[in-house]
């Protein structure tokens, strides 16, 4: 029997204040933000997170500054949509790799904040630092090639989709995986032929709502019917309950399904001045693959986290395990 462990976290929401705090004389240093959770992430065989920013590079986005009642750095907004525009220095990709991340999902409502060129550059940066990715693509060929991670002889398929892109038009459908039942079912069908286990990451739900909506439940149930083992959710920015169910597959085998409709914010400042938005979780899954070839979840662990903000000579943000 083979055993492997998977860690999953929610939004890596790199706000302007966090980026400013990481600025050094020469470049940026993000390593200290993750120093206290690095041992937990590197202890797993596969670690996944949602990259809720872009690596669009130094470019003029034509965006105005949001006016805030504080002296902290301010987010830019898209003048056409009114939504914040996110862009992070490339050094974050290096830090994520060193911290233990193997895969980041890129299908979310901010993935085209830097336009098509920013989306493509983001994937180039991830490739440069050895981070696998899924959810957005640079070509039709890449869009048709699904991510499969081989871990200790277990093939794990990972898909990612987003409900929207903050009202920014996507010129070609293949650039971003968006919600579409036919496409999702086809992608899962293809992966089932090549994998032992399937994880689907969804960017969906209502912001700041602490429980899954009927719509979220509907989508997760749809995916489980297709044979998905785990659904990981992001976007609400607060934690949702994690549920486990045991169902029989088409062969009569009992299989565990895990639904995590929102893993909260792994990295963020306080949103709407609410402490729940700086709380997240490292979801820890232990899988076993039997001699007969059946792969299933045998253990589910939860490591709560929060973002500490301390100010001495300069502001410091740190993700810490709690409890």
């Amino acid at each position: 029997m083979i055993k492997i462990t998977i860690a999953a976290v929610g939004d890596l929401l790199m706000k302007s204040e966090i980026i400013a705090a990481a600025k050094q004389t020469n470049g940026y240093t993000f390593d200290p933000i993750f120093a206290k959770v690095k041992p937990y992430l590197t202890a797993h065989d596969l670690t996944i997170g949602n990259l809720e920013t872009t690596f669009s590079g130094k470019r003029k986005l034509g965006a105005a500054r949001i006016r805030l009642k504080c002296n902290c750095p301010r987010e830019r907004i898209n003048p056409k949509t009114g939504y914040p525009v996110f862009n992070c220095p490339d050094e974050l990709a290096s830090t994520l790799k060193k911290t233990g991340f193997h895969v980041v999902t890129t299908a979310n409502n901010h993935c085209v904040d830097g336009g098509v060129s920013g989306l493509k550059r983001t994937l180039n940066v991830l490739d440069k630092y050895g981070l696998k990715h899924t959810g957005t693509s640079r070509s039709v060929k890449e869009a048709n090639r699904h991510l499969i991670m081989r871990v200790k002889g277990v093939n794990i398929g990972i898909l990612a989709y987003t409900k929207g892109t903050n009202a920014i038009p996507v010129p070609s459908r293949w650039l971003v995986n968006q919600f579409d039942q036919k496409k999702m079912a086809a992608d899962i069908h293809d992966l089932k032929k090549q994998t032992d286990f399937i994880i689907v990451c969804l960017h969906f739900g209502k912001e700041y709502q602490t429980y899954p909506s009927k719509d979220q439940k509907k989508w997760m149930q749809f995916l489980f019917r297709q044979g998905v083992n785990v659904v990981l959710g992001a976007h609400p920015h607060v934690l949702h309950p994690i549920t486990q169910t045991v169902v029989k597959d088409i062969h009569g085998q009992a299989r565990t399904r895990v639904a995590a409709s929102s893993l909260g914010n792994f990295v963020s400042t306080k949103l709407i001045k609410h402490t729940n938005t700086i709380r997240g979780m490292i979801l820890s899954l232990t899988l076993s693959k039997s001699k007969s070839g059946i792969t299933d979840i045998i253990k589910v662990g939860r490591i709560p986290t929060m973002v500490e903000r301390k100010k001495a000579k300069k502001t410091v943000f740190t993700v810490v395990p709690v409890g």
Side-chain angles (χ1 to χ4, degrees):
M1 183 174 68
I2 302 170
K3 285 187 180 181
I4 66 169
T5 55
I6 300 173
V9 304
D11 290 337
L12 299 161
L13 191 58
M14 303 304 295
K15 301 293 291 295
S16 294
E17 192 177 1
I18 298 174
I19 294 170
K23 186 170 177 56
Q24 306 294 310
T25 305
N26 184 22
Y28 293 82
T29 300
F30 296 101
D31 293 20
I33 297 174
F34 302 95
K36 291 186 178 180
V37 289
K38 180 178 179 179
Y40 297 88
L41 300 178
T42 55
H44 289 76
D45 299 309
L46 176 63
T47 297
I48 306 167
N50 173 54
L51 184 70
E52 187 136 2
T53 188
T54 66
F55 297 118
S56 295
K58 295 180 180 179
R59 57 197 301 272
K60 294 180 180 179
L61 298 173
R65 292 285 188 184
I66 293 176
R67 294 182 180 179
L68 300 176
K69 295 179 180 178
C70 67
N71 294 320
C72 57
R74 297 162 181 170
E75 304 300 335
R76 290 188 176 274
I77 59 169
N78 184 317
K80 294 182 180 179
T81 67
Y83 287 106
V85 173
F86 293 151
N87 184 22
C88 190
D90 297 354
E91 287 91 332
L92 175 65
S94 173
T95 290
L96 294 178
K97 181 66 175 179
K98 288 184 286 184
T99 300
F101 285 92
H102 301 93
V103 175
V104 292
T105 58
T106 55
N108 56 60
N109 58 318
H110 288 284
C111 62
V112 286
D113 279 1
V116 173
S117 61
L119 181 151
K120 292 182 177 181
R121 187 182 185 281
T122 298
L123 302 185
N124 292 339
V125 172
L126 294 174
D127 285 345
K128 177 182 176 181
Y129 289 100
L131 285 163
K132 300 294 184 181
H133 47 82
T134 181
T136 57
S137 305
R138 289 160 288 199
S139 66
V140 174
K141 183 178 179 181
E142 186 173 45
N144 292 328
R145 187 173 61 241
H146 303 311
L147 177 63
I148 300 174
M149 299 295 291
R150 186 166 177 82
V151 184
K152 295 182 180 178
V154 180
N155 290 328
I156 301 171
I158 307 173
L159 297 165
Y161 305 88
T162 181
K163 199 75 184 286
T165 54
N166 280 355
I168 300 174
V170 180
S172 301
R173 289 179 62 85
W174 49 262
L175 283 164
V176 180
N177 281 355
Q178 299 192 61
F179 277 43
D180 180 296
Q181 283 197 357
K182 288 185 178 179
K183 174 176 170 48
M184 294 160 113
D187 290 344
I188 294 162
H189 180 74
D190 288 345
L191 273 181
K192 284 168 73 173
K193 302 173 186 176
Q194 310 170 64
T195 60
D196 303 293
F197 195 88
I198 298 177
I199 298 171
V200 175
C201 305
L202 300 180
H203 207 79
F204 67 157
K206 187 175 181 180
E207 289 184 322
Y208 316 121
Q209 184 169 289
T210 57
Y211 53 89
S213 66
K214 288 182 180 179
D215 188 58
Q216 283 180 291
K217 290 178 180 178
K218 180 197 75 173
W219 280 106
M220 292 190 292
Q221 289 164 1
F222 164 74
L223 293 173
F224 289 139
R225 288 197 301 271
Q226 309 310 307
V228 170
N229 301 90
V230 176
V231 177
L232 303 175
H235 182 61
H237 302 304
V238 292
L239 285 167
H240 284 188
I242 294 170
T243 61
Q244 295 171 245
T245 55
V246 178
V247 299
K248 288 187 177 181
D249 62 18
I250 57 173
H251 304 294
Q253 292 280 348
R255 305 292 289 273
T256 301
R257 303 287 189 245
V258 171
S261 50
S262 178
L263 288 171
N265 286 337
F266 194 59
V267 182
S268 179
T269 56
K270 283 184 186 178
L271 308 179
I272 63 168
K273 299 181 180 179
H274 205 302
T275 55
N276 283 347
T277 61
I278 55 169
R279 295 186 180 276
M281 178 186 295
I282 301 172
L283 175 63
S284 177
L285 304 173
T286 303
L287 277 55
S288 71
K289 183 176 181 179
S290 66
K291 290 182 179 179
S292 62
I294 300 298
T295 302
D296 200 15
I297 301 163
I298 59 172
K299 184 180 179 181
V300 178
R302 300 163 176 81
I303 304 166
T305 62
M306 70 175 294
V307 183
E308 283 187 347
R309 179 183 185 276
K310 295 182 178 179
K311 190 168 185 178
K313 290 184 179 180
K314 66 177 295 186
T315 302
V316 177
F317 292 90
T318 313
V319 184
V320 298
V322 295

